[in-house]
Amino acid sequence: MSELKLDVKQFYQRMGKLYAAFRNQKNKGAWGHANCLSLNRGPANDDDVYAKSLVLHTYLFGVELTDTVILLTDDAQVYFLSSKKKIQFLEQLEGAPGVENTKLSVKFLTRNKSDSNEENFQILWKEVEKRMQAGEKKVKIGVFQKEWEANEKAGTANVSGWQKKIEGSNSEVVDINIGFGLLMSVKDDEELDLVKKSSVLGNKILKHGFIPRLEEIIDKEENVTHEALADEIEEIYADPKKIKLNVPPEHVQSAYFPIIQSGGDYDLRVSAFSNQKQMKFDIVTVSLGSRYQTYCSNIARTFLVDPPKSVSDTYETLVVVHEACLAAMIPGNTLKTVYSAAVRKLKDEEREDLIECLPKNLGFSTGAYFREGNLTLSQKNNVTFKAGMTFNLCVGFSGVKLSSSDKAAANENSPVKDLDEYALIIADTVAITKTTPDVLTKHHKSLTDVSYMLNDEQEDDEKEDEEDDDAPEAPKGDAALARKIQEESDRNGVRTSKRLASTYDQVADAQASAAEREKRQILLMQRRNEERIRELARSRNRGRGDGDESEVAEELEAYKRTKDYPDNVLPNQIKVDMANQCVLLPIGGNPVPFHISTIKAAVIQTLDSASYLRINFYAAGLSLGKEASRNMAKLVAKYAPYATFIREMTFRSLDGHNLINAYRMIMELRKRYRTREMQEQDEASLVKQDKLIRTKNERVPRLSDLTMRPVFAGRKTQGNLEAHQNGLRFISNRGESVDIIYSNIKHAIFQPCENEIMVLIHFHLKDQIMIGKKKQKDIQVFTEVIDASQAVDSGRRNMYDPEEMDDEQRERQLRKKLNEAFKEFCRKVEKVAAKNGFTLEFDIPYRDLGFQGNPHKEMVFIMPTLNCLVNLTETPFFVVDLNNVDHVHFERVTFASKAFDMVLINKDFSKQPWRVDMIPNSDKDAIQDWLTDMEISYTEGPMNLNWKQIMTTVAEDDRFYMDTEEDEVTKKEAGWSFLRMFGDDDEEEEDSVEEDSDFGGEDVEEESEEEEEEDSFEEESEEESDFDADEELEEQGMDWEDMEREAIAEDRRKSRRGNDDDDDDGGGARSKRRRRR
């Protein structure tokens, strides 16, 4: 016993937690108003692994100390009474580092056989008597009441004797189970880690043990009882290596015997058992309780085999209710809010019939002991959720009736038809955090993940067999030949091959999908217009009454008085004052200062023997240009109504040396001023970032040997990326650093290396930050799998070259290794951010939805993510936030073009839209489907548009999203509807035309058949008529007058024939006339 090591620091922390809970709440009912605590552990009892005293010993010491008395007083005195070896083990608590900082005073009493512990009992009793309050007749001692009787019957020297001493004295024993349960419900980090490992254990046994075995039983149609299958799962707990789980077997146990049920006999309680009946392939429930180093978890799932629609709908309702309960498990809420959330969600889903099918409680607190009876998720429990608690959230429906109509809807061979009622269950282990609850058992529970459709395939096979049996072996006679021809005909009566039948179906499906997409787009655009009207109204209300201080112009003042002029200013000479950013120009022999920001341009010329310097100034009525400072533009606008401006001044000198020197200094000063102003504007637009808080005394997630874009300076910026408390820090090999705060990250994207040469992590920021001397909103770190410029051996290499095959194998392994490393880093960053109260999730691009396009004068592969449309492998980066996209327009959509352009319009009309050019036509349908799913409206047109002019017009229209003009009567197209190639009502008009025309389809068919016959006839005549010079000479052509007379006569004959045909059959005549034209 003395060889065992006791974690002294952990003991004092946890005993201090126990003492604080007892001290602060001893006058409350949870601790029975006890004056002191007698925490007795009697003899070992393998039948009761969840005894409170056993849990306490494991919690404090890590081992069980049988026949040991622990007396805890309200003044922090802790007495231990036990055998000699156990006391020697406990003496490690004396003199250990950190003991001097604790309030607890530890004292040891060793069992004395000579006097049967009488002296030890007297010492303990004196400490108990001191705690009797004034006016009390008896001292109250808190004990584990359920273990009291068993300890007395055991007859142990220490515990049994001490309990007899208490019973024979002036004392009252009170139960402390509730208080101790509340104490143990809030777990420290080490306990949470053990609960998480226990949850992973249960999850893996379900995923790699139970589910494969269940699928094997169903596939092979084995006859297995519930108990036999549960025994197989129990054997996995005994030997985890059966599912290739490398954990010490002594650390792994099942919390209870696995519960597997089917065939209509269901009991959702954890006290249920697996019966000896044969498992049915209908609705199978499984519950697994796991223990890892004495800490428990629970997971339960329902698996549906050939479920009817009503059962599937009920299960989806169960999933929704489970999510609603999970959302209610936040600190501050009471436990009863979970049950209320379930009932409220059922009412919202209009499934009040399922309320009576809910169990009495929806779970319980779990951890060191499997089920804490005082912390159940019932309708009346007023205990409050606290961060650090762990619960088994178990939501289920029992006794759900299966009607005869529901059975009829099931497959004929489905065993579900034999059920009159059924049950469904979903249970997960949940950890309460400061923000959202953390589900520790992460096995999927969606309908598609738990459903098995078996008899559909059998029915299809049977139908195919029946069709094969019914089919004639060979056509016999005319009737058989006619039947064969009929089978080879399509729905329009035209004989086609079977190979083309699927093509016609695909075309029909594509047309139907496009029509459905167009209808959805019309409704979507109407809804988006209404939403945008409300958004703009709210933004106007927020901006109302806010004065714009930036519109105030700052007056220019180079000198306060003439005495401040430079000393070497001459009357007729141009002087440039670099310090005061001023140019002194001689006017009438007097130097007049002009601030450099007032000068628009300067030009120097040499004509004949004289030099001329012309200086242009900013003035009202002229275009200011891009180089005009903001303040200058404001000053011009301010003084334009009443001031007189100097537009131009020209200076002439026979000695051009002074003018050339002045010109150079003016241009240099203008450059410096412009650079300084742009830098100030950049810094003024920056948002002040929080200071990075570095993680100390803890291992920091780190990615090494990364390259960052954009670079600080030079060709490459390489270094490491670390995740700290409130942000990430990139440290280059040269000591430069960039801090990326979690709260400033708008989108984080992880792109694994599949078809590219790099694996990368990209951050799209909310506000720009300075990197070097430039503002940046996109920061990326990456690692190249292979060099972008790789030397290729000029020699010819065999495709079976072993060296080349080894290189490819190493490259594949490197790709996989880097992808896993980056993915694991992203997961750790998300965990660190969540731990410190930040929300950060990494998106992964959807490669299947990607397409080729040209956003920046280069063809790249563009992929959507959950929130963005991106290309991250090439620079400049292309990142479009879908939340900022108001509408998408497709340009150059024609039948003749092989590619089209896509324009993504920004919600901020002051900004120009994003463009992606040269997208292949084959990707158009997929892109439009994706936009419709993302609820982004789109239009298409045949030509490129002038978007600068369009955005200017749209920005000036206050009623752009409304469908009426300012008089609110005149109708107009709302929003971006004016970009449609066809109007919104075209589809309705086409439908009405088709409904009104009873013979339109037949006319078109007849016309197309006749046109095809004429075309084929013309082609045959062209092929048969060879050029013959003799025949050409025999025929004489008509002159113009003969041709004109022949044409007039032909027109008359056509007119008469047309009138006659109209009287007989109007439809046929019309089709023939159209064909001839």
Side-chain angles (χ1 to χ4, degrees), residues 891-942:
E891 298 180 332
R892 297 194 302 113
V893 179
T894 62
F895 292 106
S897 62
K898 296 182 180 180
F900 63 93
D901 304 333
M902 182 171 65
V903 179
L904 300 104
I905 303 172
N906 200 320
K907 289 182 178 180
D908 185 358
F909 295 156
S910 63
K911 298 179 180 179
Q912 288 299 305
W914 299 279
R915 292 188 62 88
V916 181
D917 298 332
M918 297 301 296
I919 304 174
N921 275 345
S922 57
D923 294 323
K924 182 165 73 72
D925 289 339
I927 294 174
Q928 291 181 349
D929 284 334
W930 169 68
L931 290 174
T932 304
D933 292 338
M934 297 300 294
E935 295 194 342
I936 298 176
S937 60
Y938 69 82
T939 52
E940 56 184 41

Coordinates of all heavy atoms in Angstrom, one line a residue, residues 891-942:
E891 N -24.1 36.8 -68.0 CA -24.0 37.5 -69.3 C -23.5 36.5 -70.4 O -22.9 35.5 -70.1 CB -23.0 38.6 -69.2 CG -23.4 39.7 -68.2 CD -22.4 40.8 -68.1 OE1 -21.2 40.6 -68.3 OE2 -22.8 41.9 -67.7
R892 N -23.8 36.9 -71.6 CA -23.4 36.2 -72.8 C -24.0 34.8 -72.8 O -23.3 33.8 -73.2 CB -21.9 36.1 -73.0 CG -21.2 37.4 -73.2 CD -19.8 37.3 -73.7 NE -18.9 36.6 -72.8 CZ -18.4 35.4 -73.1 NH1 -18.6 34.9 -74.2 NH2 -17.6 34.8 -72.2
V893 N -25.3 34.7 -72.4 CA -25.9 33.4 -72.4 C -26.7 33.2 -73.7 O -27.8 33.8 -73.9 CB -26.9 33.2 -71.2 CG1 -27.6 31.9 -71.2 CG2 -26.2 33.4 -69.9
T894 N -26.1 32.6 -74.7 CA -26.7 32.3 -76.0 C -26.4 30.9 -76.4 O -25.5 30.2 -75.8 CB -26.1 33.3 -77.0 OG1 -24.7 33.0 -77.1 CG2 -26.3 34.7 -76.7
F895 N -27.1 30.4 -77.4 CA -26.9 29.0 -77.9 C -25.6 28.9 -78.6 O -25.0 27.8 -78.7 CB -28.1 28.6 -78.8 CG -29.3 28.5 -78.0 CD1 -30.4 29.4 -78.1 CD2 -29.5 27.4 -77.2 CE1 -31.5 29.3 -77.4 CE2 -30.7 27.2 -76.5 CZ -31.7 28.2 -76.6
A896 N -25.1 30.0 -79.2 CA -23.9 30.0 -80.0 C -22.6 30.0 -79.2 O -21.6 29.5 -79.6 CB -23.9 31.1 -81.0
S897 N -22.7 30.6 -78.0 CA -21.4 30.8 -77.2 C -21.1 29.5 -76.4 O -22.0 28.8 -76.0 CB -21.6 32.0 -76.2 OG -22.6 31.7 -75.3
K898 N -19.9 29.2 -76.2 CA -19.4 28.1 -75.4 C -19.2 28.4 -74.0 O -18.9 27.5 -73.2 CB -18.1 27.5 -76.0 CG -18.3 27.0 -77.4 CD -17.0 26.4 -78.0 CE -17.2 25.8 -79.4 NZ -15.9 25.2 -79.9
A899 N -19.1 29.7 -73.6 CA -18.9 30.1 -72.3 C -19.7 31.3 -72.0 O -20.2 32.0 -72.9 CB -17.4 30.4 -72.1
F900 N -19.9 31.6 -70.7 CA -20.7 32.8 -70.2 C -19.9 33.5 -69.1 O -18.9 32.9 -68.6 CB -22.1 32.4 -69.8 CG -22.1 31.4 -68.6 CD1 -22.2 32.0 -67.3 CD2 -21.9 30.1 -68.7 CE1 -22.2 31.1 -66.2 CE2 -21.9 29.2 -67.7 CZ -22.1 29.8 -66.4
D901 N -20.4 34.7 -68.7 CA -19.8 35.4 -67.6 C -20.8 35.5 -66.5 O -22.0 35.5 -66.7 CB -19.4 36.8 -68.1 CG -18.5 36.8 -69.3 OD1 -17.7 35.8 -69.4 OD2 -18.5 37.7 -70.1
M902 N -20.3 35.6 -65.3 CA -21.1 35.7 -64.1 C -20.8 36.9 -63.3 O -19.6 37.2 -63.0 CB -21.0 34.5 -63.2 CG -21.9 34.5 -62.0 SD -21.8 32.9 -61.1 CE -20.1 32.8 -60.5
V903 N -21.8 37.7 -63.0 CA -21.6 39.0 -62.3 C -22.3 38.9 -61.0 O -23.5 38.6 -60.9 CB -22.2 40.2 -63.1 CG1 -22.0 41.5 -62.3 CG2 -21.5 40.3 -64.5
L904 N -21.6 39.1 -59.9 CA -22.1 39.0 -58.5 C -22.3 40.4 -58.0 O -21.3 41.1 -57.8 CB -21.3 38.2 -57.6 CG -21.1 36.7 -58.0 CD1 -19.7 36.5 -58.7 CD2 -21.2 35.8 -56.9
I905 N -23.5 40.9 -57.8 CA -23.8 42.3 -57.4 C -23.7 42.4 -55.9 O -24.4 41.7 -55.2 CB -25.2 42.7 -58.0 CG1 -25.2 42.5 -59.5 CG2 -25.5 44.1 -57.7 CD1 -26.6 42.7 -60.1
N906 N -23.0 43.4 -55.5 CA -22.8 43.7 -54.1 C -24.1 44.4 -53.5 O -24.7 45.2 -54.2 CB -21.6 44.6 -53.9 CG -21.1 44.5 -52.4 OD1 -21.9 44.5 -51.5 ND2 -19.8 44.4 -52.3
K907 N -24.4 44.1 -52.3 CA -25.5 44.8 -51.6 C -25.2 46.3 -51.5 O -26.1 47.1 -51.4 CB -25.8 44.2 -50.3 CG -26.5 42.8 -50.4 CD -26.8 42.3 -49.0 CE -27.5 40.9 -49.1 NZ -27.9 40.4 -47.8
D908 N -23.9 46.6 -51.4 CA -23.5 48.0 -51.3 C -23.4 48.5 -52.7 O -22.4 48.2 -53.4 CB -22.2 48.1 -50.5 CG -21.8 49.6 -50.3 OD1 -22.5 50.5 -50.8 OD2 -20.7 49.8 -49.7
F909 N -24.3 49.3 -53.2 CA -24.4 49.7 -54.6 C -23.2 50.7 -54.9 O -23.0 51.0 -56.1 CB -25.7 50.4 -54.9 CG -26.9 49.5 -54.8 CD1 -28.1 49.9 -54.6 CD2 -26.7 48.1 -55.0 CE1 -29.2 49.0 -54.5 CE2 -27.7 47.2 -54.9 CZ -29.0 47.7 -54.7
S910 N -22.5 51.2 -53.9 CA -21.4 52.1 -54.2 C -20.2 51.3 -54.6 O -19.2 51.9 -55.1 CB -21.0 52.9 -52.9 OG -20.6 52.1 -51.9
K911 N -20.2 50.0 -54.5 CA -19.1 49.1 -54.9 C -19.4 48.4 -56.2 O -20.6 48.0 -56.4 CB -18.8 48.1 -53.8 CG -18.3 48.8 -52.5 CD -18.0 47.7 -51.5 CE -17.6 48.3 -50.1 NZ -17.4 47.3 -49.1
Q912 N -18.4 48.3 -57.0 CA -18.6 47.6 -58.3 C -18.8 46.1 -58.1 O -18.2 45.5 -57.1 CB -17.5 47.8 -59.3 CG -17.4 49.2 -59.8 CD -18.7 49.6 -60.6 OE1 -19.0 48.9 -61.6 NE2 -19.4 50.6 -60.2
P913 N -19.6 45.4 -58.9 CA -19.8 44.0 -58.7 C -18.5 43.2 -59.0 O -17.6 43.6 -59.6 CB -20.9 43.6 -59.8 CG -21.4 44.9 -60.2 CD -20.4 46.0 -60.0
W914 N -18.5 41.9 -58.4 CA -17.5 41.0 -58.7 C -17.8 40.3 -60.1 O -19.0 40.1 -60.4 CB -17.4 39.9 -57.7 CG -17.1 40.4 -56.3 CD1 -15.8 40.7 -55.8 CD2 -18.0 40.7 -55.2 NE1 -15.9 41.2 -54.5 CE2 -17.2 41.1 -54.1 CE3 -19.4 40.5 -55.1 CZ2 -17.8 41.5 -52.9 CZ3 -20.0 40.9 -53.9 CH2 -19.2 41.3 -52.8
R915 N -16.8 39.9 -60.8 CA -17.0 39.3 -62.1 C -16.2 37.9 -62.2 O -15.1 37.9 -61.6 CB -16.5 40.1 -63.3 CG -17.3 41.4 -63.5 CD -16.9 42.0 -64.8 NE -17.1 41.2 -66.0 CZ -18.2 41.1 -66.7 NH1 -19.2 41.9 -66.3 NH2 -18.3 40.3 -67.7
V916 N -16.8 37.0 -62.8 CA -16.1 35.7 -63.2 C -16.4 35.5 -64.6 O -17.5 35.2 -65.0 CB -16.5 34.5 -62.3 CG1 -15.7 33.3 -62.7 CG2 -16.3 34.8 -60.8
D917 N -15.4 35.6 -65.5 CA -15.6 35.4 -66.9 C -15.2 34.0 -67.4 O -14.5 33.3 -66.7 CB -14.7 36.5 -67.7 CG -15.1 37.9 -67.3 OD1 -16.3 38.1 -67.0 OD2 -14.2 38.8 -67.4
M918 N -15.7 33.7 -68.6 CA -15.3 32.5 -69.4 C -15.6 31.2 -68.6 O -14.8 30.3 -68.5 CB -13.8 32.6 -69.8 CG -13.5 33.7 -70.7 SD -14.4 33.6 -72.2 CE -13.8 32.1 -72.9
I919 N -16.8 31.1 -68.1 CA -17.2 29.9 -67.4 C -17.8 29.0 -68.5 O -18.7 29.4 -69.2 CB -18.3 30.2 -66.3 CG1 -17.7 31.2 -65.3 CG2 -18.7 28.9 -65.6 CD1 -18.7 31.7 -64.3
P920 N -17.5 27.7 -68.5 CA -18.0 26.8 -69.5 C -19.5 26.7 -69.4 O -20.1 26.6 -68.3 CB -17.3 25.5 -69.3 CG -16.1 25.9 -68.5 CD -16.4 27.1 -67.7
N921 N -20.2 26.6 -70.5 CA -21.7 26.4 -70.5 C -22.1 25.2 -69.8 O -23.2 25.1 -69.2 CB -22.2 26.4 -71.9 CG -22.4 27.8 -72.5 OD1 -22.5 28.8 -71.7 ND2 -22.6 27.9 -73.8
S922 N -21.3 24.1 -69.7 CA -21.7 22.9 -69.1 C -21.9 23.1 -67.6 O -22.5 22.2 -67.0 CB -20.7 21.8 -69.4 OG -19.4 22.3 -68.9
D923 N -21.4 24.1 -67.0 CA -21.5 24.4 -65.6 C -22.7 25.3 -65.2 O -22.9 25.5 -64.0 CB -20.2 25.0 -65.0 CG -19.0 24.0 -65.1 OD1 -19.2 22.8 -64.9 OD2 -17.9 24.5 -65.4
K924 N -23.4 25.8 -66.2 CA -24.4 26.8 -65.9 C -25.5 26.2 -65.0 O -26.0 26.8 -64.0 CB -25.0 27.4 -67.2 CG -26.0 28.5 -67.0 CD -26.3 29.2 -68.2 CE -27.1 28.4 -69.2 NZ -28.5 28.2 -68.8
D925 N -26.0 25.0 -65.4 CA -27.2 24.4 -64.6 C -26.8 24.1 -63.2 O -27.5 24.4 -62.3 CB -27.7 23.2 -65.3 CG -28.4 23.5 -66.6 OD1 -28.8 24.6 -66.8 OD2 -28.5 22.6 -67.5
A926 N -25.6 23.6 -63.0 CA -25.1 23.3 -61.7 C -25.0 24.6 -60.8 O -25.3 24.6 -59.6 CB -23.8 22.5 -61.7
I927 N -24.4 25.6 -61.4 CA -24.3 26.9 -60.7 C -25.6 27.5 -60.3 O -25.9 28.0 -59.2 CB -23.5 27.9 -61.5 CG1 -22.0 27.4 -61.7 CG2 -23.4 29.3 -60.8 CD1 -21.2 28.2 -62.6
Q928 N -26.6 27.4 -61.2 CA -27.9 28.0 -61.0 C -28.6 27.1 -59.9 O -29.4 27.7 -59.1 CB -28.7 28.0 -62.3 CG -28.2 29.1 -63.2 CD -29.0 29.1 -64.5 OE1 -29.8 28.3 -64.8 NE2 -28.7 30.1 -65.3
D929 N -28.5 25.8 -59.9 CA -29.0 25.0 -58.9 C -28.5 25.4 -57.5 O -29.2 25.5 -56.5 CB -28.8 23.5 -59.1 CG -29.7 23.0 -60.2 OD1 -30.8 23.5 -60.4 OD2 -29.3 22.0 -60.9
W930 N -27.1 25.6 -57.5 CA -26.5 25.9 -56.2 C -27.0 27.3 -55.7 O -27.3 27.5 -54.5 CB -25.0 25.9 -56.4 CG -24.2 26.5 -55.3 CD1 -24.1 26.1 -54.0 CD2 -23.5 27.8 -55.3 NE1 -23.3 26.9 -53.2 CE2 -23.0 28.0 -54.0 CE3 -23.3 28.8 -56.3 CZ2 -22.2 29.1 -53.7 CZ3 -22.5 29.9 -55.9 CH2 -22.0 30.0 -54.7
L931 N -27.1 28.3 -56.6 CA -27.6 29.6 -56.2 C -29.0 29.5 -55.7 O -29.4 30.2 -54.7 CB -27.5 30.6 -57.4 CG -26.1 31.0 -57.9 CD1 -26.2 31.8 -59.1 CD2 -25.4 31.8 -56.8
T932 N -29.8 28.7 -56.3 CA -31.2 28.5 -55.9 C -31.2 27.9 -54.5 O -32.0 28.3 -53.6 CB -32.0 27.7 -56.9 OG1 -31.9 28.3 -58.2 CG2 -33.5 27.6 -56.4
D933 N -30.4 26.9 -54.2 CA -30.3 26.3 -52.9 C -29.8 27.3 -51.9 O -30.3 27.2 -50.7 CB -29.4 25.1 -53.0 CG -30.0 23.9 -53.8 OD1 -31.2 23.9 -54.0 OD2 -29.2 23.1 -54.3
M934 N -29.0 28.2 -52.3 CA -28.5 29.2 -51.3 C -29.4 30.4 -51.2 O -29.1 31.3 -50.5 CB -27.1 29.7 -51.8 CG -26.0 28.6 -51.8 SD -25.7 27.9 -50.2 CE -25.0 29.3 -49.3
E935 N -30.5 30.3 -51.9 CA -31.5 31.4 -51.9 C -30.9 32.7 -52.4 O -31.2 33.8 -51.8 CB -32.2 31.5 -50.5 CG -33.0 30.3 -50.1 CD -33.9 30.5 -48.9 OE1 -33.6 31.5 -48.2 OE2 -34.8 29.8 -48.7
I936 N -30.2 32.6 -53.5 CA -29.7 33.8 -54.1 C -30.3 33.9 -55.5 O -30.3 33.0 -56.3 CB -28.1 33.8 -54.3 CG1 -27.5 33.7 -52.9 CG2 -27.6 35.0 -55.0 CD1 -26.0 33.6 -52.9
S937 N -31.0 35.1 -55.8 CA -31.7 35.2 -57.0 C -30.7 35.4 -58.2 O -29.6 35.9 -58.0 CB -32.6 36.4 -57.0 OG -31.9 37.6 -56.7
Y938 N -31.1 35.0 -59.4 CA -30.2 35.2 -60.5 C -31.1 35.5 -61.8 O -32.3 35.2 -61.8 CB -29.3 34.0 -60.8 CG -30.0 32.8 -61.3 CD1 -30.4 32.6 -62.6 CD2 -30.4 31.8 -60.4 CE1 -31.0 31.5 -63.0 CE2 -31.1 30.7 -60.8 CZ -31.4 30.5 -62.1 OH -32.0 29.4 -62.5
T939 N -30.5 36.2 -62.7 CA -31.0 36.4 -64.1 C -30.0 36.1 -65.1 O -28.8 35.9 -64.8 CB -31.5 37.8 -64.2 OG1 -30.5 38.7 -63.9 CG2 -32.7 38.1 -63.3
E940 N -30.4 36.1 -66.4 CA -29.4 35.8 -67.4 C -29.8 36.7 -68.7 O -31.0 37.0 -68.9 CB -29.3 34.4 -67.8 CG -30.6 33.7 -68.1 CD -30.5 32.2 -68.4 OE1 -29.8 31.6 -67.6 OE2 -31.1 31.7 -69.3
G941 N -28.8 37.0 -69.4 CA -29.0 37.8 -70.6 C -28.0 37.5 -71.7 O -26.9 36.9 -71.4
P942 N -28.2 38.0 -72.9 CA -27.3 37.6 -74.0 C -26.1 38.5 -74.2 O -25.3 38.2 -75.1 CB -28.3 37.7 -75.3 CG -29.2 38.8 -74.9 CD -29.4 38.7 -73.4

